[in-house]
């Protein structure tokens, strides 16, 4: 059961409730849900709910209706995240674990690890103890394999995941690996589950070959009941009557689990399909269906692999899959960040160099705006987001060192460029050090229970009204009131307590202020994306640097712009954006803003810059990222 406590509860009352529950034989977990203190009590209590209901300090007692308790979303509404070094599973980033089925040699593991890291995998997998159907098949290198995994972590910088097949391996696992995997065949090996529950390392729990979702969650419950909450569920296909694939991937498990449990869910399409050509389509589908990540088998020479070669992707195929996932992720509100590990290391490096703790990133508006989301999706938990009141204030704060970074929108796919920021990029001497694209979904947000027919006034940012034009035209009697940002709009209607007021904002902003989504996705075009750039005073060490931004002006003679573009064309450099802005004080003269796919800060780019310098009157490098 769940005990929701009164806001004004005293420590003494709380202690009494806790000790009553413990003497009653319950496992007790204290939590905070939406700012309210709750106690989860698991086990057969000696007293009934009515007894606890009348204890001083208890506001409500809610029974947990499912057989699994600690893993249940009824007990813990918010998503659990599992942290492995700089990698957070279950957060806003898609986490991809990749590597061979089995560790075969040091060379094999290093080669594959370098390849998968290059393509954006953030954790490395590889079995050292292999549970094989046949006793005559390769059984894994045992401890030798674990040592190789530890070397991979040191040399390639990827956290490592491997399967534990017996409690006897617990000490070895502690010594060498970051995440222990409980394989499909061991999902109901209860002694092993209890063992990993006590291990204190994150656990990746695969679904059994013929396990129901409830049985699977009960297995997770074993791990949590031993005190380990760091559990990731991994669907890897179940046995059905269908022989065309090795197993049948149960993709519907994703939404089912998301409703039932707070634990992160990842998909292993390799074991689910058993065939290389089927892996990528199912991986893409898994991300579209809401999975938090993927576990993919990759081998540089699958024909010679000692296990599961036919289902292992070639590194290049894996790279292509990652590019596709990178595109799909923002559609479902997430990110696949190719440079996640490098970026985390760079932020740490910068913190050390500046001799201070947590870095600060400034964004426009309130917590709950898309700018805030861009900020938190770009930096994850590494950096604190700081709200600012204007774009200029962000540039100024970064310039003066009040903030270490700034996150500003540059262009929207429906409404075009945010010119103010282009002008500020020219004015301030700051660098672009990164970029992030978000899908923008707008919802009509109102008070709980309010009816759309009674809405009279709608609050939001003017650009948002523009993006929702068609929807608003259908309600032409509504008065539209501009606010600084979308989160402010929601706050404003919440404070006003008028059921005829609504706001247009994100779901996050609605949730944050206890408001409800009245109508989902009201933007005119669902392909509504905003590209944000991250600004700073210095470039990030080891950043990805796939793209660069420049500003320049040319002389006023025929072919002047063409001459500059020719420099890129002759060097085979791909131009991804060209924008012009009027030069202040010089009517009808323009600055050109150029994005190219190249690292302008690399030594090899120097001759191109020299050539460009000769063809331009003014040239400013905004940065490579
Ligand atoms: C594996 O991940 O290599 C493996 C053996 O998986 P499963 O337990 O899902 O068969
Ligand atoms: Mn395998």
């Amino acid at each position: 059961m769940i005990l929701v406590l009164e806001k004004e509860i005293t420590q003494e009352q709380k202690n009494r409730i806790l000790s009553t529950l413990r003497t009653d034989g319950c496992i007790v977990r204290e939590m905070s849900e939406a700012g309210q203190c709750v106690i989860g009590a698991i086990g057969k209590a000696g007293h009934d709910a009515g007894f606890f209901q009348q204890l001083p300090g208890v506001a409500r007692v809610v029974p947990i209706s499912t057989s699994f308790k600690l893993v249940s979303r009824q007990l813990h509404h918010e998503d659990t995240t599992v942290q492995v070094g700089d990698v957070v599973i279950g957060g806003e980033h898609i986490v991809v674990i990749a590597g061979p089925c089995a560790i075969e040699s040091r060379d094999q593991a290093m080669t594959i690890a370098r390849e998968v890291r290059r393509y954006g995998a953030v954790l490395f997998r590889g079995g050292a103890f292999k549970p094989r159907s046949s006793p005559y098949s390769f059984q894994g290198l045992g401890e030798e394999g674990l040592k190789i995994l530890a070397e991979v972590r040191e040399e390639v910088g990827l956290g490592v995941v491997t399967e534990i097949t017996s409690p006897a391996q617990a000490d070895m696992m502690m010594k060498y690996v970051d995440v222990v995997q409980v394989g499909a065949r061991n999902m109901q090996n209860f002694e092993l589950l209890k063992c990993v529950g006590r291990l204190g390392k994150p656990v990746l729990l695969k679904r059994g070959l013929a396990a129901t979702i409830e049985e699977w969650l009960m297995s997770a419950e074993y791990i949590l009941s031993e005190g380990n909450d760091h559990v990731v569920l991994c669907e890897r296909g179940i046995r059905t009557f269908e022989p065309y694939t090795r197993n049948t991937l149960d993709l519907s498990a994703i939404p089912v689990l998301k409703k039932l449990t707070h634990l992160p869910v990842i998909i292993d399409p390799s074991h689910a399909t058993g065939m290389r050509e089927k892996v990528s389509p199912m991986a893409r589908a898994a991300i579209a269906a809401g999975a938090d990540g993927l576990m993919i088998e990759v081998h540089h020479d699958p024909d010679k692999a000692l296990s599961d070669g036919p289902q292992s992707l070639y590194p290049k195929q894996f790279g292509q899959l990652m590019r596709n996932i990178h595109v799909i992720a923002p559609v479902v509100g997430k990110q696949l960040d190719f440079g996640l590990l490098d970026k985390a290391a760079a932020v740490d490096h910068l913190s050390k160099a500046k001799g201070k703790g947590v870095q600060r990133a400034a964004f426009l508006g309130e917590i709950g705006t898309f700018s805030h989301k861009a900020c938190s999706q770009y930096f994850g938990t590494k950096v604190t987001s700081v709200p600012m009141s204007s774009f200029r204030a962000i540039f100024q704060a970064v310039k003066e060192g009040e903030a270490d970074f700034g996150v500003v929108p540059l262009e929207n796919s429906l409404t075009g460029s945010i010119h103010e920021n282009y002008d500020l990029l020219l004015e301030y001497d700051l660098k672009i050090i990164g970029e992030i694209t978000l899908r923008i979904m707008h919802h009509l947000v109102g008070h709980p229970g309010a009816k759309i027919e009674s809405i009279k006034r709608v609050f939001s940012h003017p650009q948002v009204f523009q993006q929702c034009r068609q929807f608003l035209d259908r309600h032409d009697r509504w008065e539209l009131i501009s606010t600084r940002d979308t989160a402010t709009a929601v706050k404003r209607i919440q404070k006003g307590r008028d059921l005829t007021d609504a706001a247009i904002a994100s779901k996050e902003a609605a949730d944050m202020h206890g408001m409800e989504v009245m109508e989902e996705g009201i933007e005119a075009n669902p392909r509504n994306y905003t590209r944000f750039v991250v600004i700073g005073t210095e470039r990030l060490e080891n950043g990805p640097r796939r793209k660069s931004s420049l500003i320049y002006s040319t002389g006023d003679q025929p072919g002047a712009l063409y001459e500059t573009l020719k420099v890129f064309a002759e060097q085979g450099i791909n131009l991804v954006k060209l924008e012009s802005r009027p030069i202040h004080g010089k009517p009808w003269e323009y600055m050109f803003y150029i994005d190219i796919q190249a690292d302008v800060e690399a030594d090899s780019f120097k001759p191109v810059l020299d050539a460009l310098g000769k063809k331009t009157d003014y040239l400013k490098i905004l940065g490579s990222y």
Side-chain angles (χ1 to χ4, degrees), residues 331 370 439-443 505-507 520-523 526 528:
V331 176
F370 288 104
R439 179 181 175 195
I440 308 293
M441 272 187 93
H442 294 307
H443 309 300
S506 67
K507 187 170 181 320
E520 221 179 306
I522 58 166
E523 66 281 7
N528 184 5

Side-chain angles (χ1 to χ4, degrees), residues 525-537:
N525 186 332
R527 290 189 187 169
N528 184 5
Y529 293 90
T530 297
R531 175 178 165 245
F532 295 81
V533 289
V534 183
I535 52 171
T537 47

Side-chain angles (χ1 to χ4, degrees), residues 101 125 130 246 271 297 307-308 311:
C101 179
R125 62 147 287 146
K130 293 303 302 175
R246 181 174 172 180
H271 292 89
E297 285 187 346
S307 79
D308 287 348
Q311 69 192 34

Side-chain angles (χ1 to χ4, degrees), residues 350 354 359-360 379 394-395 397-401 403-408 425 428-434 533-540 621-623:
L350 209 59
K354 288 188 176 176
Q359 307 266 293
R360 292 151 55 91
F379 288 110
I394 297 175
F395 278 81
V398 177
K399 180 185 166 195
E400 285 169 4
D404 303 280
F405 310 103
V407 177
V408 292
L425 280 170
Y428 280 82
D429 200 16
L430 296 173
K431 291 218 163 299
I432 296 181
I433 60 163
V533 289
V534 183
I535 52 171
T537 47
E538 51 195 300
R539 62 184 214 171
L540 282 182
I621 296 170
L622 289 173

Side-chain angles (χ1 to χ4, degrees), residues 261-275:
T261 178
H262 51 86
L263 297 175
V265 181
I266 69 166
I267 295 292
D268 168 355
S270 308
H271 292 89
T273 62
M275 276 170 269

Side-chain angles (χ1 to χ4, degrees), residues 70-90:
L70 292 169
V71 304
S72 169
R73 212 181 259 285
Q74 289 178 16
L75 182 70
H76 191 279
H77 292 289
E78 279 153 31
D79 289 343
T80 285
T81 55
V82 174
Q83 183 135 12
V84 188
D86 288 325
V87 175
V88 177
I89 311 174

